Amino acid sequence: QCINGTRNHGYFRIMHTIRHLEQITSVGPRPVGSPENEVLTVGYLLEQIENIRVETAAGHHQLTVDVQRPTGTFSIDFLGGFTSFYDRVTNIAVRLEPKGGAQHLMLANCHFDTVANSPGASDDAVSCAVMLEVLHSLANQSTPLHHGVVFLFNGAEENILQASHGFITQHPWAEQVRAFINLEAAGVGGKEVVFQTGPENPWLVQAYVHAAKHPFASVVGQEVFQSGIIPSDTDFRIYRDFGNIPGIDLAFIENGFIYHTKYDTSDRILTDSIQRAGDNILAVLRYLVTSEKLADSSEYRHGNMVFFDLLGVVVVAYPARVGTILNYMVAAATFLYLAKKASLPGNRGGRYLRDLAYATGIAVLSWFVTLMLVLIVALLVTLLGRSMFWYNHFYASICLYGSAAMGKIILIHTLAKNLYYGVSGDFILGDLYFDVSLLLWCCSLVWLTQQGLCSAYVPMLMVAFPLATKLLLAKEFKHRGASLKYSVLYLLGLALPYVHFMFLIWVVFEIFTPIMGRSGTEIPPEVVMASLVTLATIFISSFFLHFIYLARSTKWILTGLGSVFILTFLFVSCGLLFPYSGSPESPRPKRVFLQHTTRTFHDLQGQVESHDSGLWINSFDFTCIQHVTPHIPEINDSIRTSCREDRPFCGYPWFLPVKFLSKKNWYLPAPEVSPGAPVEFSLLSREETRWGTVKMTFSVKGPSHMSLYLMPHRGASLSTWSFGDGTPQFDLSGEYFVFYSHGLDAPTWIFWFEIQVYRNTDGMISVAISSHYFFGEDSRTAQLEEILHRFPTWAFPSSWVSTYDMYRY
């Protein structure tokens, strides 16, 4: 398939894709508004698209290019909720269709912009490189497409999904789009996973299942992501909510430790990952643009799909309504099995049900006590100042928390066996505790099904296979107890659901372990990790509880687990397991954000009431600065800030409304900043309306990224404004956050709001504007450069220059 880079029509060319990736990332970070994003990258993409257009001009397809620079505004319920305003951000839309035109379009979306200070190879340059080659392949194929494809290279996703909003709400081609594929990243490389589909439209999942050459998909990931547990979002939300079109969301998820850091470079993305992504996306797009369902997708809209892959080999998918029937059939079979056992001659009079109830109580109690014990260990680790030791030594968390959890479960059941039941190696008790596990998994199956969750397929598998295995091995178990033959056959019977379940657990840890490094200072990571490891241990061990009652002794197992726990705890408490690493091969960086800022506060008379400058420092993980202070002594708790509740967003230049995630920050005095293009903020007009409100109009001229904070005073409230749909939304504890960005040659930002005053107060509203200089000479100062060089190699300090100006009216 053109591995040597020569031309091969209709196939995915891997070497060309790698060349695109290297070219896009070679310009460095590409924040919105920077020449790297708006000129260099746009120029390269347009050049490559033009080459494809010229090459395929004599073929069966026509290719149209449109560079869109939209302006718009919307509100979004993300990070607590805020409003977004964008001006002249960049979209490159490429329309590929048969020579006679197409009425229905498929959309493929990537973004080429990045966060500040990251080259963004995986997020999301590699997806744009893949899309260029998929465009080339489809344009060159010998059979004409039935429908058209729009390839959208959007230049403002990191600014919280702005460019996709501009396309889907304003571009004339958007009305013909029937479905979309969004290419994203939450990690660097590995397999790209389908983690969102829909809403509804099961035909899209069926298309992926039918066409993808290397499938990797899970409805569990979809339901976890859409629950809001993961602090992230993608353009999928914009197309779904503002375009009302269904789609598929794919993302790389491995090695999220270096996501949004300087380490996200092209050399870290394996060729196999790029090839796999290209093969999948090309095959799925090719299938969809020849599908009759795309022409009238509304006819196939209703219903969700249960879908999951088996080790990336094959995807199982079936309608959710079929899943509901299947789930209840498995649950009914389980209850029938238990009822039959209860009706046996030796179990009449409620004896079996009583024993089952007592055993269930012991099992649930053992799990509760285990969780509490492990959380106590996690608390002790936190108090010792050793949080996040597993960030760079993941398996140490399994050794510490996993051994503690497993040891406690075995100990409690051993005590129950010896002290409560007073027997040893009893196959009747073993049989009883198998039934306990079956019952509890069955209860979770019924509950998840009643909640309408497609993830109920997991407990369905964890009930159906063990039940079938037990029935098939009933005679073997009864006659020989826990014999070697029984144990081997039992494990084989549980292999499929357990392998799949352990794979899901791996995905959970693959996602959540790196997230703990960017979840702020308020979420205790030891509690999260200890809970995840304990729950995984409980789930995995559930169908092995009965072996404790079949075994004659658990002394050696408990001794081994206890030894592992004690040794690991000693290593952790002595500080031998450092959380971070600057290793070029496998970095685990600590994320620190530094802003060299100047703050100015004005009173009601417009006079400056205070003015200062400094380095404002935020650590985005729980360890704060405890590991940084030994390297940079002046960054210590003596300069820790406190929130001024009378100032919008505490009086600091928050780039995004995440102060609830990071309440601990530090402010080191430094000289004043002097950007070459300082922000210009002015009140244009103030008038009382006929309906009793005060309308205030402002103008702002500044850098490509600014944040507006509005805080009505007591006795006043915002009634309307010029953003979104006109209704002020997402009141964050009395404050409103407006995120602003612009591309090149943007005009002055004009906005207004109306405020309703209910009673006389000390002013109506506090308005603050912060400016953020992410690129060019204005983004650096001598003080920033000096302190950045002092950070240890295991830290990733992301820095820029900002200002904060507050006015009271």
Side-chain angles (χ1 to χ4, degrees):
Q1 289 186 357
C2 207
I3 298 300
N4 60 2
T6 60
R7 181 176 172 184
N8 193 343
H9 288 181
Y11 290 96
F12 183 77
R13 307 179 306 175
I14 182 65
M15 299 310 295
H16 284 71
T17 308
I18 294 173
R19 197 173 306 135
H20 294 322
L21 173 61
E22 291 172 346
Q23 286 295 321
I24 293 171
T25 56
S26 66
V27 302
R30 303 175 297 281
V32 171
S34 67
E36 291 80 4
N37 192 67
E38 310 297 335
V39 178
L40 297 179
T41 305
V42 168
Y44 177 78
L45 291 172
L46 289 175
E47 178 187 357
Q48 299 306 309
I49 293 164
E50 177 61 17
N51 290 341
I52 296 171
R53 190 190 68 79
V54 171
E55 179 184 335
T56 60
H60 297 285
H61 306 105
Q62 62 185 27
L63 194 149
T64 310
V65 184
D66 182 54
V67 179
Q68 181 199 27
R69 291 196 165 87
T71 296
T73 177
F74 62 97
S75 295
I76 185 169
D77 185 13
F78 177 58
L79 296 176
F82 64 95
T83 298
S84 185
F85 184 95
Y86 55 91
D87 198 355
R88 291 184 59 78
V89 297
T90 303
N91 278 321
I92 301 175
V94 185
R95 179 169 176 155
L96 178 68
E97 59 189 336
K99 279 286 174 69
Q103 184 179 357
H104 308 288
L105 301 175
M106 185 74 196
L107 172 68
N109 176 79
C110 71
H111 70 90
F112 55 84
D113 66 310
T114 70
V115 296
N117 304 309
S118 174
S122 69
D123 187 26
D124 193 31
V126 67
S127 295
C128 291
V130 166
M131 268 180 42
L132 278 174
E133 281 310 304
V134 170
L135 169 61
H136 176 274
S137 298
L138 290 177
N140 274 297
Q141 74 174 28
S142 55
T143 56
L145 303 175
H146 292 180
H147 308 295
V149 187
V150 173
F151 292 86
L152 181 65
F153 301 85
N154 95 55
E157 189 271 350
E158 298 295 355
N159 283 11
I160 318 300
L161 322 178
Q162 292 178 333
S164 56
H165 181 270
F167 174 82
I168 205 64
T169 59
Q170 300 176 40
H171 200 284
W173 295 347
E175 294 180 357
Q176 294 174 266
V177 172
R178 303 293 178 256
F180 67 91
I181 294 179
N182 182 51
L183 312 180
E184 254 297 348
V188 179
K191 295 181 177 180
E192 80 290 351
V193 60
V194 173
F195 66 100
Q196 287 192 98
T197 65
E200 298 188 316
N201 288 274
W203 64 276
L204 275 174
V205 177
Q206 292 167 342
Y208 176 84
V209 170
H210 185 275
K213 296 183 180 297
H214 315 284
F216 186 32
S218 174
V219 73
V220 176
Q222 171 175 297
E223 292 180 342
V224 169
F225 189 85
Q226 292 181 352
S227 71
I229 294 174
I230 299 175
S232 183
D233 220 329
T234 74
D235 288 321
F236 181 96
R237 170 198 279 255
I238 297 297
Y239 298 132
R240 178 194 66 195
D241 295 352
F242 292 93
N244 296 313
I245 55 176
I248 301 175
D249 214 0
L250 299 103
F252 295 106
I253 61 169
E254 290 186 20
N255 199 9
F257 298 99
I258 59 179
Y259 168 75
H260 281 187
T261 72
K262 65 181 180 181
Y263 299 105
D264 185 8
T265 53
S266 59
D267 59 299
R268 295 185 185 276
I269 305 176
L270 298 178
T271 302
D272 286 347
S273 295
I274 301 173
Q275 182 74 60
R276 188 164 43 234
D279 289 344
N280 278 344
I281 294 159
L282 175 58
V284 173
L285 271 179
R286 183 177 283 151
Y287 180 87
L288 286 169
V289 295
T290 59
S291 170
E292 294 302 321
K293 293 180 180 178
L294 186 69
D296 190 11
S297 60
S298 60
E299 186 177 332
Y300 308 96
R301 177 179 180 85
H302 301 293
N304 291 314
M305 288 287 285
V306 178
F307 59 91
F308 57 94
D309 73 281
L310 298 175
L311 299 181
V313 177
V314 63
V315 173
V316 178
Y318 49 86
R321 61 182 181 277
V322 174
T324 300
I325 295 169
L326 183 60
N327 293 347
Y328 282 129
M329 287 176 63
V330 171
T334 303
F335 290 125
L336 185 63
Y337 161 79
L338 296 174
K340 185 177 179 181
K341 290 192 75 171
S343 65
L344 291 175
N347 292 330
R348 287 175 184 167
R351 177 182 171 186
Y352 171 76
L353 294 178
R354 184 172 61 253
D355 290 344
L356 184 65
Y358 287 159
T360 302
I362 291 172
V364 173
L365 178 64
S366 73
W367 294 340
F368 177 77
V369 171
T370 296
L371 181 60
M372 292 300 102
L373 174 75
V374 177
L375 289 179
I376 289 172
V377 175
L379 179 61
L380 187 57
V381 170
T382 303
L383 294 175
L384 289 171
R386 306 303 181 191
S387 280
M388 296 184 65
F389 66 89
W390 36 263
Y391 196 68
N392 189 36
H393 308 276
F394 171 73
Y395 290 104
S397 66
I398 306 299
C399 292
L400 184 69
Y401 300 130
S403 64
M406 195 69 251
K408 193 64 178 179
I409 291 171
I410 293 174
L411 178 61
I412 291 173
H413 285 281
T414 300
L415 292 174
K417 178 177 70 173
N418 295 331
L419 301 180
Y420 179 72
Y421 293 110
V423 294
S424 178
D426 185 22
F427 80 89
I428 295 177
L429 278 178
D431 193 43
L432 178 66
Y433 274 87
F434 174 87
D435 294 348
V436 167
S437 302
L438 201 64
L439 175 64
L440 291 172
W441 274 107
C442 189
C443 290
S444 68
L445 167 63
V446 172
W447 184 79
L448 289 175
T449 304
Q450 287 182 334
Q451 297 301 309
L453 296 175
C454 294
S455 300
Y457 84 87
V458 176
M460 184 274 292
L461 293 177
M462 295 296 286
V463 171
F465 278 82
L467 177 59
T469 302
K470 180 66 186 313
L471 293 174
L472 290 172
L473 297 178
K475 290 183 179 180
E476 180 71 26
F477 176 76
K478 187 172 182 180
H479 292 302
R480 301 190 183 183
S483 66
L484 179 61
K485 180 181 178 182
Y486 166 79
S487 300
V488 171
L489 292 174
Y490 183 77
L491 291 174
L492 286 175
L494 268 59
L496 190 146
Y498 260 79
V499 168
H500 179 68
F501 189 63
M502 292 178 74
F503 178 70
L504 289 178
I505 290 173
W506 171 81
V507 171
V508 167
F509 284 114
E510 186 72 34
I511 294 173
F512 279 94
T513 304
I515 283 177
M516 288 294 99
R518 57 181 190 269
S519 292
T521 61
E522 305 309 300
I523 299 173
E526 293 309 308
V527 171
V528 175
M529 183 57 68
S531 298
L532 288 176
V533 172
T534 303
L535 290 173
T537 303
I538 289 170
F539 292 150
I540 291 172
S541 67
S542 58
F543 277 109
F544 296 97
L545 286 182
H546 68 291
F547 280 103
I548 300 173
Y549 293 90
L550 294 172
R552 293 197 173 151
S553 174
T554 58
K555 180 174 63 175
W556 292 110
I557 297 177
L558 289 172
T559 301
L561 290 171
S563 300
V564 170
F565 171 77
I566 291 170
L567 285 173
T568 309
F569 186 77
L570 287 174
F571 283 147
V572 172
S573 60
C574 292
L576 298 178
L577 302 177
F578 191 67
Y580 310 107
S581 170
S583 165
E585 294 77 25
S586 183
R588 299 289 187 270
K590 175 180 177 59
R591 299 165 191 259
V592 183
F593 296 89
L594 298 94
Q595 296 182 47
H596 190 175
T597 189
T598 293
R599 305 187 303 160
T600 306
F601 303 91
H602 299 82
D603 60 20
L604 281 169
Q605 287 70 44
Q607 303 299 311
V608 175
E609 63 181 15
S610 68
H611 179 85
D612 59 48
S613 296
L615 299 177
W616 187 46
I617 302 162
N618 280 277
S619 167
F620 259 73
D621 69 32
F622 190 79
T623 65
C624 297
I625 58 167
Q626 72 175 87
H627 300 297
V628 174
T629 300
H631 297 268
I632 312 175
E634 56 265 44
I635 302 179
N636 57 64
D637 280 335
S638 69
I639 60 167
R640 183 171 157 183
T641 66
S642 58
C643 180
R644 284 285 301 269
E645 300 291 347
D646 63 327
R647 294 173 175 176
F649 275 75
C650 299
Y652 288 97
W654 289 99
F655 173 60
L656 287 171
V658 292
K659 67 172 185 174
F660 65 95
L661 284 176
S662 186
K663 295 181 179 179
K664 303 179 184 70
N665 36 74
W666 297 262
Y667 195 62
L668 182 65
E672 186 170 342
V673 299
S674 302
V679 65
E680 301 172 13
F681 181 85
S682 61
L683 172 63
L684 296 181
S685 65
R686 171 175 172 170
E687 57 182 308
E688 292 190 11
T689 65
R690 297 192 312 273
W691 43 90
T693 63
V694 177
K695 181 178 181 179
M696 306 181 73
T697 304
F698 298 84
S699 71
V700 188
K701 186 74 174 177
S704 61
H705 293 76
M706 292 185 284
S707 302
L708 173 69
Y709 322 103
L710 304 176
M711 187 173 75
H713 296 180
R714 187 173 300 173
S717 65
L718 291 181
S719 59
T720 187
W721 60 5
S722 56
F723 306 117
D725 62 1
T727 303
Q729 294 186 52
F730 306 119
D731 180 341
L732 298 173
S733 302
E735 298 172 289
Y736 297 83
F737 186 100
V738 180
F739 179 90
Y740 168 89
S741 75
H742 69 69
L744 297 179
D745 305 320
T748 300
W749 181 26
I750 307 293
F751 67 89
W752 57 264
F753 57 79
E754 291 184 21
I755 188 164
Q756 180 77 52
V757 180
Y758 300 102
R759 60 179 183 272
N760 290 329
T761 61
D762 186 17
M764 297 182 299
I765 190 170
S766 293
V767 178
I769 187 84
S770 69
S771 59
H772 300 271
Y773 299 85
F774 284 129
F775 53 86
E777 290 300 317
D778 283 347
S779 67
R780 299 186 292 272
T781 65
Q783 291 74 26
L784 272 179
E785 295 295 327
E786 189 273 333
I787 203 166
L788 287 175
H789 283 110
R790 296 169 62 192
F791 272 88
T793 57
W794 44 259
F796 170 62
S798 181
S799 65
W800 66 92
V801 169
S802 65
T803 63
Y804 179 100
D805 295 276
M806 188 203 77
Y807 304 85
R808 299 194 193 276
Y809 301 98

